[in-house]
């Protein structure tokens, strides 16, 4: 893998074109290759050497090989290389709340800024924490490989419209047969 984002994107695209929907990151365990000057800002902007990536498709491709490991750091991973990157908050954003059904039978869906549609439920649980040293809520949905998508402010307000009080569980939302307390 090259440290040049265009070459890296070409390699990822070639792998994607081979018919695989998502790379099997859980099976790839290369040694750390080093740090690469890629940073994901809180607003979802991907920077390379301080400049925004010119093509959204490159960031979208990179998101398919991104994982967060037990050390809390984020890495772009291929079968033979692993590059550490910097992430200001969550690497993905969630927006576009959709609802199917009603009450405890409803299914909520969120779409990430990388065009991945996620069903809120056991595989993609929703939680609301707080930023350190702040009471500002930090709503996130788990995506995969240790990654989270932070709900945009507008989406969090849309979600608040779905809040119900459940006996014994407090305030929260139902989705995918699960109750998610929202505090």
């Amino acid at each position: 893998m090259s440290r040049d984002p265009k070459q890296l994107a070409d390699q990822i695209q070639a792998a994607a074109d081979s018919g695989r929907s998502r790379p099997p990151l859980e099976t790839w365990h290369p040694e750390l290759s080093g740090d690469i000057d890629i940073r994901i800002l809180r607003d979802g902007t991907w920077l390379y050497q301080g400049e925004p990536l010119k093509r959204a498709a490159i960031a979208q491709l990179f998101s398919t090989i991104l994982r967060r490991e037990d050390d809390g750091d984020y890495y772009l991973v291929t079968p033979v290389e692993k590059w550490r990157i910097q992430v200001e908050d969550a690497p993905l954003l969630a927006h576009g709340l959709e609802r199917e059904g009603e009450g405890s039978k409803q299914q909520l869906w969120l779409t990430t800024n990388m065009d991945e549609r996620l069903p809120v439920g056991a595989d993609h649980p929703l939680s609301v924490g707080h930023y350190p040293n702040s009471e500002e809520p930090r709503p996130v949905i788990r995506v995969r490989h240790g990654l989270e998508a932070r709900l945009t402010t507008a989406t969090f307000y849309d979600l608040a419209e779905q809040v119900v009080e459940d006996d014994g569980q407090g305030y929260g939302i139902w989705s995918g047969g699960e109750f998610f307390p929202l505090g």
Side-chain angles (χ1 to χ4, degrees):
M1 179 164 76
S2 167
R3 290 183 71 157
D4 175 47
K6 174 66 173 119
Q7 290 175 343
L8 176 58
D10 290 343
Q11 292 170 359
I12 298 166
Q13 186 64 56
D17 290 343
S18 69
R20 183 171 298 194
S21 61
R22 290 225 178 264
L25 267 71
E26 65 280 357
T27 65
W28 297 346
H29 304 287
E31 293 295 317
L32 179 64
S33 302
D35 293 88
I36 189 169
D37 190 7
I38 293 178
R39 181 177 194 83
I40 304 173
L41 302 179
R42 183 175 175 178
D43 70 1
T45 302
W46 287 60
L47 303 177
Y48 174 65
Q49 295 181 338
E51 295 293 324
L53 291 177
K54 291 180 179 35
R55 293 183 32 215
I58 292 176
Q60 191 168 7
L61 283 171
F62 284 174
S63 75
T64 67
I65 62 164
L66 181 62
R67 75 176 176 214
R68 187 175 193 187
E69 296 190 353
D70 291 340
D71 63 4
D73 287 337
Y74 294 88
Y75 300 90
L76 296 175
V77 182
T78 73
V80 296
E81 293 183 292
K82 179 168 85 171
W83 295 93
R84 182 178 14 244
I85 70 167
Q86 299 300 310
V87 177
E88 283 187 351
D89 188 0
L92 304 170
L93 297 176
H95 58 85
L97 180 69
E98 298 174 51
R99 183 182 76 167
E100 297 171 0
E102 297 284 330
S104 64
K105 305 281 188 224
Q106 77 182 356
Q107 177 64 64
L108 299 176
W109 297 83
L110 291 165
T111 302
T112 71
N113 57 325
M114 298 298 158
D115 291 328
E116 184 174 1
R117 191 170 181 246
L118 304 171
V120 177
D123 291 339
H124 302 287
L126 179 72
S127 63
V128 179
H130 290 90
Y131 284 96
N133 304 316
S134 169
E135 290 298 313
E136 180 184 359
R138 186 177 181 271
V140 296
I141 182 171
R142 186 172 50 196
V143 180
R144 68 184 167 286
H145 306 297
L147 302 181
E148 296 174 327
R150 183 179 50 81
L151 277 65
T152 63
T153 301
T155 301
F156 187 49
Y157 288 143
D158 290 343
L159 184 71
E161 293 178 8
Q162 306 301 316
V163 170
V164 295
E165 184 175 12
D166 190 71
D167 293 336
Q169 298 188 68
Y171 291 97
I173 55 119
W174 282 97
S175 185
E178 304 272 335
F179 185 77
F180 297 95
L182 298 182

